Amino acid sequence: CMIMSKATEKQFWVKWRSHPAREIILQDLNCGGWLYDEIEEKGELDFAVVFALYNFKQPEIFNEIDFSQFQARLNDYVTKNKERRDRSRIEYGWFEQYRELYPRQLRNERGQLVFDLHAAKALLRADVTAGKQAGMVPSHFQGTRTQYEEFDGDIFRQRIYQEERYQKYLNWLESKRTMKLDKHKEKQKKKKEKEVAKKEKEEENQRKKKAKQQSKAAK
């Protein structure tokens, strides 16, 4: 009976790998996502509550998903996520011990400032995200902050290009996700329109059948 029950449940399951819900959940489980923060704070998730929240926030994506499938997939993701976190904590501990023995220097062996350890890195990310470098040659943009001017012009120019590539990649990922969601919404819209048209046709056929029966009865 249990096997039959599970088989019956799976009849209503969607194609998960290509479904936008999969990508949304995985992103929310990453550092900075609300599921990640929820696990950090409470140690576990109430799957029923999470399912209800997703259905409330994005009904066009999650309403068609059966809870049994959602629960099974989320349970897999949370288990793997916990394993990664535990492994990351262990590796971070090793890294911290290594840094205590061999602290990273603010300058490299050539005497140049290490960009990743400098305040300029965070400032550059914020400025490029805001598009402040647009329309400016690298040398002029470098002069907008004293922190930037501490670096060699050629080195800083490459850092600008690197950050721009990074931002383009993030934009591409977001665009890809948006296109996937839009495609799914359009698919669901057509499916609903088709179901409505089918229902209307059935109702029309029923009305015709009933009218025909009434006509015969009148004769």
Side-chain angles (χ1 to χ4, degrees):
C1 292
M2 181 63 70
I3 296 175
M4 287 297 293
S5 177
K6 287 183 177 180
T8 303
E9 281 182 350
K10 288 188 177 182
Q11 290 180 359
F12 302 99
W13 286 19
V14 299
K15 293 181 180 179
W16 189 257
R17 289 193 64 83
S18 60
H19 200 280
R22 175 179 178 269
E23 191 173 344
I24 293 170
I25 293 171
L26 288 175
Q27 185 169 344
D28 289 339
L29 279 169
N30 285 335
C31 184
W34 75 274
L35 289 180
Y36 180 95
D37 294 338
E38 192 76 7
I39 295 174
E40 281 287 295
E41 181 182 346
K42 299 180 179 178
E44 59 183 16
L45 294 173
D46 186 325
F47 290 0
V49 172
V50 173
F51 185 62
L53 285 171
Y54 273 128
N55 272 281
F56 177 74
K57 292 179 179 179
Q58 296 176 291
E60 71 281 2
I61 302 298
F62 287 89
N63 276 357
E64 65 176 342
I65 298 175
D66 187 83
F67 177 68
S68 62
Q69 183 180 21
F70 177 86
Q71 186 177 35
R73 296 287 74 79
L74 185 56
N75 185 58
D76 289 342
Y77 295 154
V78 169
T79 300
K80 292 176 182 176
N81 185 270
K82 185 179 183 302
E83 292 172 355
R84 284 197 299 269
R85 289 186 192 215
D86 292 343
R87 186 170 62 250
S88 295
R89 289 189 181 100
I90 293 172
E91 292 174 351
Y92 184 75
W94 294 341
F95 178 76
E96 286 291 289
Q97 291 176 2
Y98 175 81
R99 281 300 174 209
E100 286 181 7
L101 295 172
Y102 307 100
R104 195 174 181 188
Q105 303 299 314
L106 297 177
R107 293 182 180 272
N108 59 25
E109 64 278 4
R110 295 187 295 275
Q112 300 169 331
L113 285 168
V114 177
F115 191 79
D116 289 345
L117 300 179
H118 198 278
K121 181 180 180 180
L123 292 171
L124 181 61
R125 177 147 297 176
D127 284 347
V128 172
T129 301
K132 292 183 179 180
Q133 87 291 0
M136 298 175 67
V137 297
S139 58
H140 289 171
F141 176 62
Q142 186 174 6
T144 60
R145 291 186 185 272
T146 55
Q147 293 89 340
Y148 296 161
E149 292 178 331
E150 295 181 45
F151 292 88
D152 176 78
D154 291 336
I155 292 176
F156 187 74
R157 181 174 67 253
Q158 293 305 316
R159 288 293 179 175
I160 296 173
Y161 297 155
Q162 181 180 342
E163 187 60 35
E164 287 178 335
R165 288 193 297 271
Y166 174 73
Q167 293 295 334
K168 285 179 181 179
Y169 174 68
L170 292 182
N171 292 336
W172 176 79
L173 287 178
E174 184 61 28
S175 176
K176 183 180 179 183
R177 182 186 178 191
T178 301
M179 287 176 64
K180 191 172 183 179
L181 290 174
D182 289 343
K183 185 177 179 180
H184 180 77
K185 288 178 182 178
E186 185 62 26
K187 184 179 179 181
Q188 289 301 106
K189 181 182 177 183
K190 289 181 179 179
K191 181 181 178 181
K192 190 173 182 179
E193 289 174 349
K194 189 175 181 180
E195 290 174 350
V196 170
K198 182 180 179 181
K199 186 178 180 180
E200 289 177 347
K201 187 175 181 181
E202 289 175 349
E203 290 175 349
E204 179 64 23
N205 289 336
Q206 286 294 328
R207 284 195 295 270
K208 288 181 179 179
K209 186 178 180 180
K210 188 176 180 180
K212 190 175 182 181
Q213 291 173 344
Q214 289 175 344
S215 178
K216 284 184 179 179
K219 291 179 181 179

